[in-house]
Amino acid sequence: MTLPTQDLASPLYDLHLANVRYVSLVPNAEGYQVQHGHIYIKHGKIAAISATPLADDAAQSRDCQNKLVTPGLIDCHTHLIYAGNRANEFEMRLNGIPYQTIAQQGGGILSTVKATRQASQEQLTEIALPRLDGLLTSGVTSVEIKSGYGLTLNDEIKMLRAAKSLESYRNVRISTTLLAAHAVPPEFTYAPDQYIDLVCNEIIPSVAEEKLANSVDVFCESIGFNLAQTERVFQAAHQHGLAIKGHTEQLSNLGGSALTARYNGLSADHIEYLDEQGVKAMASSGTVATLLPGAFYFLRETQTPPIELLRKHQVPMAIATDLNPGTSPFADLTMMMNMGCTLFGLTPEETLRGVTANAAQALGVSDSRGQIALGYDADLALWDIEHPAELSYLQGVKRLYARLIQGEISYV
Ligand code: NIG
Ligand code: FE
């Protein structure tokens, strides 16, 4: 019996990336070593990695001429969807008014809430695209986007839909997080617990039902929500099968990171004021420490996150832009890698792990993204650089050659 010719002719792989230098980021000693070889992709996944070309056919072969390949970068914490801008508040802060005071006077997050409520879903998508393009140019293939500037059921849903719709305009993967507990909305100024009722009893159930978010986040802070309110939101998130993240210990030490860890949170983010007890709690729950040097820099903070303690207790560290109009107007992830080194004392290797393998863990996708390994999604960035440390070094020059998402190439 003869095999159908179609089978005989069909190549084993869809794409062969020939002559690459790659950094696998797998968690072993070779993770940061540059290796030379060939990457083969089938059905959007990495199907073979070989030092020499394989005999099997690929439908397409591209000579990559020794470009450096890393996993596609993952920005695991952004507030990319919003309307308006807060340049005026930047100016106020430089005239001596603190961020907290501006927030308490109805500015800050609430001024962005006002502008965002007035915008349609389509407008939100349109004005977010240039910001998204900034991230893509810095090699990003996956972006987490939070709601949190709507603070009503409909406006939060509008933001999440706008975020998700970006996937139909660009070759990118979006992961959404419900941050309805970002600030107390003006309608509830004197009844924050009633707003938490709304978040737990209406917003979380609806968002879960419509599958509009992967995770739920809370701004646990004196100008946000206290520990008891945060815990109520976490409980509701768990009841509805959603993962947990926290904006914790950014401006003071309330114990929000330990609470996030107690609920097996994916990540506790900011954490400048985190103490050793909190670090230990995160270590035991496998909660990622997401560091946001852009916000630290832009707020001109002086208290740095406890990097030595995080290293000592082997808490995985991620780096993200925190892209938002108030505290981190930066749409560039490699710039955050640079700031992670210069402001927090991270090594270039730590920052690269922070935007690949550890960022994948912060999104709960560490078994399929963030590493160049067999069976992983072929989400890759191809760079015109010699060594991966250069990603944390030179800024403002385009080094990205191409990005691949599940094997699909784009040149932005
Ligand atoms: O991550 N900390 C709270 N949320 C944002 C700030 C949002 C804003 O000021 O608009 C942050 O820094
Ligand atoms: Fe944030």
Side-chain angles (χ1 to χ4, degrees):
M1 195 185 96
T2 52
L3 289 168
T5 42
Q6 199 188 340
D7 273 7
L8 283 175
S10 77
L12 190 54
Y13 302 111
D14 300 327
L15 180 61
H16 167 202
L17 297 176
N19 299 315
V20 297
R21 290 175 309 119
Y22 66 95
V23 205
S24 74
L25 273 305
V26 293
N28 63 27
E30 281 85 53
Y32 189 62
Q33 304 289 320
V34 177
Q35 299 176 75
H36 184 274
H38 299 256
I39 297 174
Y40 293 84
I41 296 165
K42 177 80 176 173
H43 294 147
K45 295 196 179 294
I46 298 171
I49 304 170
S50 170
T52 51
L54 300 174
D56 307 300
D57 272 358
Q60 252 193 77
S61 180
R62 288 177 185 244
D63 185 357
C64 294
Q65 298 172 331
N66 275 324
K67 293 197 190 298
L68 188 85
V69 184
T70 63
L73 306 192
I74 299 172
D75 193 349
C76 67
H77 180 142
T78 85
H79 307 251
L80 184 117
I81 295 287
Y82 62 84
N85 79 65
R86 310 229 299 269
N88 60 329
E89 290 181 10
F90 180 43
E91 189 145 16
M92 282 164 78
R93 282 200 291 111
L94 288 164
N95 280 307
I97 308 175
Y99 178 69
Q100 283 97 321
T101 309
I102 295 171
Q104 279 150 3
Q105 292 171 353
I109 293 172
L110 292 184
S111 66
T112 302
V113 168
K114 203 169 166 196
T116 304
R117 284 181 176 178
Q118 283 165 5
S120 68
Q121 183 188 315
E122 293 68 29
Q123 285 167 334
L124 289 176
T125 303
E126 197 183 315
I127 54 184
L129 282 171
R131 303 193 276 261
L132 177 62
D133 287 339
L135 295 180
L136 303 188
T137 311
S138 68
V140 169
T141 50
S142 292
V143 185
E144 185 259 17
I145 302 178
K146 300 174 196 297
S147 64
Y149 293 122
L151 313 185
T152 65
L153 174 63
N154 288 342
D155 290 307
E156 288 291 296
I157 284 181
K158 176 179 75 179
M159 286 190 73
L160 294 169
R161 289 204 173 117
K164 213 54 200 158
S165 77
L166 292 169
E167 285 180 338
S168 52
Y169 293 89
R170 297 289 187 271
N171 192 21
V172 66
R173 306 173 85 170
I174 305 291
S175 157
T176 44
T177 298
L178 175 71
L179 179 57
H182 194 194
V184 179
E187 313 78 70
F188 287 90
T189 306
Y190 301 104
D193 286 315
Q194 281 175 29
Y195 179 60
I196 293 296
D197 291 342
L198 177 77
V199 172
C200 296
N201 303 334
E202 287 184 40
I203 303 183
I204 290 177
S206 304
V207 164
E209 167 84 22
E210 293 194 45
K211 298 196 183 337
L212 288 171
N214 311 93
S215 317
V216 170
D217 195 342
V218 178
F219 185 24
C220 181
E221 192 54 69
S222 55
I223 56 168
F225 295 93
N226 64 30
L227 270 187
Q229 292 163 335
T230 303
E231 183 158 14
R232 287 184 57 205
V233 176
F234 286 173
Q235 278 167 350
H238 265 190
Q239 275 160 17
H240 290 87
L242 294 167
I244 278 164
K245 289 176 154 290
H247 275 75
T248 51
E249 271 72 71
Q250 180 184 9
L251 308 167
S252 60
N253 184 1
L254 294 188
S257 307
L259 180 69
T260 305
R262 197 142 58 74
Y263 279 81
N264 289 316
L266 289 174
S267 68
D269 302 24
H270 286 288
I271 59 165
E272 279 84 346
Y273 286 81
L274 184 64
D275 58 18
E276 187 157 17
Q277 214 186 332
V279 174
K280 282 184 180 164
M282 290 173 65
S284 57
S285 61
T287 301
V288 173
T290 299
L291 308 174
L292 305 168
F296 171 89
Y297 160 84
F298 195 67
L299 290 178
R300 306 173 76 210
E301 294 289 337
T302 50
Q303 167 109 8
T304 53
I307 304 297
E308 274 314 323
L309 289 173
L310 293 166
R311 283 180 182 140
K312 175 175 154 196
H313 294 285
Q314 297 182 341
V315 175
M317 292 181 273
I319 306 271
T321 60
D322 195 16
L323 171 51
N324 77 72
T327 68
S328 194
F330 305 114
D332 185 333
L333 191 53
T334 59
M335 200 212 287
M336 298 304 119
M337 296 168 75
N338 173 283
M339 287 187 186
C341 295
T342 56
L343 301 176
F344 295 166
L346 298 175
T347 66
E349 175 172 355
E350 285 174 321
T351 63
L352 184 57
R353 280 187 200 287
V355 296
T356 54
N358 294 349
Q361 190 177 335
L363 294 187
V365 294
S366 57
D367 53 356
S368 59
R369 287 185 232 171
Q371 296 176 39
I372 299 181
L374 291 185
Y376 271 64
D377 291 344
D379 288 13
L380 304 169
L382 274 63
W383 305 94
D384 285 312
I385 57 173
E386 277 298 309
H387 189 273
E390 289 172 47
L391 294 175
S392 296
Y393 169 69
L394 180 69
Q395 303 300 312
V397 174
K398 187 172 184 287
R399 286 98 33 101
L400 183 77
Y401 172 71
R403 300 177 306 120
L404 276 84
I405 295 185
Q406 294 180 299
E408 191 188 322
I409 298 192
S410 40
Y411 291 92
V412 190

